Amino acid sequence: MEIAREYGCITVADNTWATPFYTRPLDLGVDIVLHSTTKYFGGHSDILGGALVFKENNEKTAFIKKVQCYGGAVPSPFDCWLLCRSLTTFTARMAIHSANAMKLARFLEKEPKIERVLYPGLPSHPQHAIASRQMKGGYGGMLSVLVKGGRENALKLCSLLQLFTHATSLGGVESLIEHRKSTEGPDSATPDNLLRISVGIEAAEDLIKDFKQALKRL
Ligand SMILES: *Cc1c(COP(=O)(O)O)cnc(C)c1O
């Protein structure tokens, strides 16, 4: 942020994953915060949308508003209605997403068939200290695992899970799992054995039990 300011640049933070429930980029000095409202704000995997939150109302804000109005990137009234209704349960959902993700991450970290768990709430995460400084009260609902045995075992684990739907996107009440490299394509730098998990708000013990049975059969 200091470097950006030195060169007169605007800073933009995509806060879709952390959400304002855990991270407040404007308080950390960012100029514009970006959200895919498709994800945790919507929370039910049934709308598409986005939001920009500005620190200041100035001529740049007015310009971007103009682009939005003239460009037509405006959500439908029904999508706005769904989004407003979803926001009433936003804080309740986020607390469960985060608590579930922490429980699942801790469980998976001890599993011998899992090579590595990537979750900012775990002390083993390389950026855990930064996350703890920036995030308040939790670390969100997204985590990744590297599965031992490469791509083949990663895909097999996906198919053995019964509660986790094999799909892209994130932030909905239901747990999703995705073989990220298949989505990103052959040029992706994502490891072949990486699975990304959007932890839902189901009972944590059910999610852990599902992983237990899948890992046993892997
Ligand atoms: C999904 C996502 C987007 C894109 O949002 P859409 O609503 O799918 O267009 C942007 N940033 C992050 C971090 C996302 O997860």
Side-chain angles (χ1 to χ4, degrees):
M1 251 128 34
E2 283 90 59
I3 298 168
R5 200 137 298 133
E6 200 182 316
Y7 289 92
C9 299
I10 302 171
T11 47
V12 182
D14 187 333
N15 200 32
T16 299
W17 286 26
T19 82
F21 193 63
Y22 292 117
T23 304
R24 303 283 178 102
L26 293 183
D27 293 345
L28 297 169
V30 166
D31 299 307
I32 303 173
V33 184
L34 181 156
H35 287 282
S36 165
T37 56
T38 309
K39 313 292 170 51
Y40 288 108
F41 282 18
H44 297 73
S45 313
D46 53 9
I47 58 165
L48 291 174
L52 289 178
V53 185
F54 297 87
K55 187 169 193 151
E56 286 173 20
N57 198 1
N58 54 27
E59 69 281 1
K60 288 188 187 97
T61 321
F63 171 73
I64 291 171
K65 255 188 177 163
K66 220 184 236 177
V67 170
Q68 185 200 21
C69 291
Y70 296 170
V74 176
S76 74
F78 184 55
D79 281 8
C80 293
W81 182 82
L82 280 174
L83 183 55
C84 285
R85 201 178 65 162
S86 296
L87 286 176
T88 59
T89 57
F90 170 70
T91 54
R93 286 185 280 107
M94 286 318 297
I96 304 174
H97 282 298
S98 187
N100 279 0
M102 183 60 101
K103 284 180 194 160
L104 189 62
R106 284 199 178 126
F107 163 77
L108 290 170
E109 203 171 40
K110 292 200 195 84
E111 281 297 301
K113 287 179 186 170
I114 300 293
E115 182 185 305
R116 194 161 175 211
V117 181
L118 298 163
Y119 182 62
L122 293 176
S124 60
H125 192 282
Q127 277 92 40
H128 177 65
I130 296 173
S132 299
R133 218 167 44 235
Q134 293 185 351
M135 304 183 86
K136 298 277 171 272
Y139 298 89
M142 296 299 296
L143 62 97
S144 294
V145 291
L146 302 180
V147 185
K148 281 185 192 163
R151 173 190 160 86
E152 198 183 325
N153 263 12
L155 286 171
K156 195 171 168 202
L157 179 58
C158 271
S159 66
L160 289 169
L161 288 163
Q162 290 167 353
L163 290 183
F164 294 76
T165 303
H166 194 176
T168 308
S169 202
L170 60 107
V173 291
E174 65 288 307
S175 291
L176 301 180
I177 191 159
E178 176 191 31
H179 183 252
R180 194 62 204 151
K181 192 160 184 174
S182 298
T183 308
E184 290 174 347
D187 295 334
S188 156
T190 302
D192 242 352
N193 62 337
L194 183 142
L195 297 176
R196 187 179 85 177
I197 304 167
S198 170
V199 184
I201 63 165
E202 304 92 338
E205 53 269 35
D206 288 347
L207 298 176
I208 288 171
K209 210 156 108 190
D210 195 28
F211 258 101
K212 263 186 192 158
Q213 66 78 24
L215 286 165
K216 203 166 155 188
R217 288 156 67 208
L218 187 67

